[in-house]
Amino acid sequence: MSRFIAKLSTAAILGLAALPALGLTQAAHAAPARPAVLATIRIGDLDLSRPDDARRFQARIDTAGESVCDARARAEKLDRWSARACRIDIRDEIQSKLSRRQASALRAAGG
């Protein structure tokens, strides 16, 4: 009898140990997927040391930020402050991708 109880309790412990793993797999499937929103900004045709090109570059950043953040705002139901923060993050990330030469030329042109 004690052998039966030992086997039963072992099976119960193993069964209970498996429950959290099942819960994690269910939560992973229930979480909504974030949309893959990407933007590409051409810069090869611009000379960032020229004020007109620096303004064009800023306009391209603004356009990319609007498209990415508007899609994200719709998908994630962001409020306007979060959407504004998204645009700032996009701008900062894009500017961080510039080379030193490009960044200094952009600053010199007032961008």
Side-chain angles (χ1 to χ4, degrees):
M1 183 73 162
S2 66
R3 188 178 237 177
F4 173 73
I5 292 175
K7 286 183 180 181
L8 184 63
S9 63
T10 302
I13 289 172
L14 291 175
L16 289 174
L19 283 177
L22 290 174
L24 290 175
T25 59
Q26 292 298 323
H29 290 295
R34 295 184 75 173
V37 183
L38 303 173
T40 302
I41 299 176
R42 292 180 313 133
I43 193 171
D45 61 331
L46 301 176
D47 178 2
L48 296 181
S49 64
R50 295 178 44 211
D52 287 343
D53 284 351
R55 280 192 293 277
R56 279 191 200 98
F57 179 62
Q58 293 298 339
R60 290 177 185 179
I61 291 174
D62 292 342
T63 301
E66 282 181 30
S67 66
V68 169
C69 295
D70 287 350
R72 191 170 162 219
R74 282 191 303 276
E76 298 176 22
K77 296 179 179 51
L78 299 178
D79 60 19
R80 68 183 176 124
W81 295 109
S82 298
R84 174 75 177 134
C86 175
R87 287 185 181 91
I88 292 169
D89 288 344
I90 294 287
R91 185 192 66 219
D92 291 346
E93 182 176 345
I94 291 168
Q95 289 181 345
S96 75
K97 305 264 188 236
L98 296 175
S99 68
R100 284 183 189 236
R101 195 174 128 255
Q102 291 170 328
S104 63
L106 186 61
R107 279 192 300 275

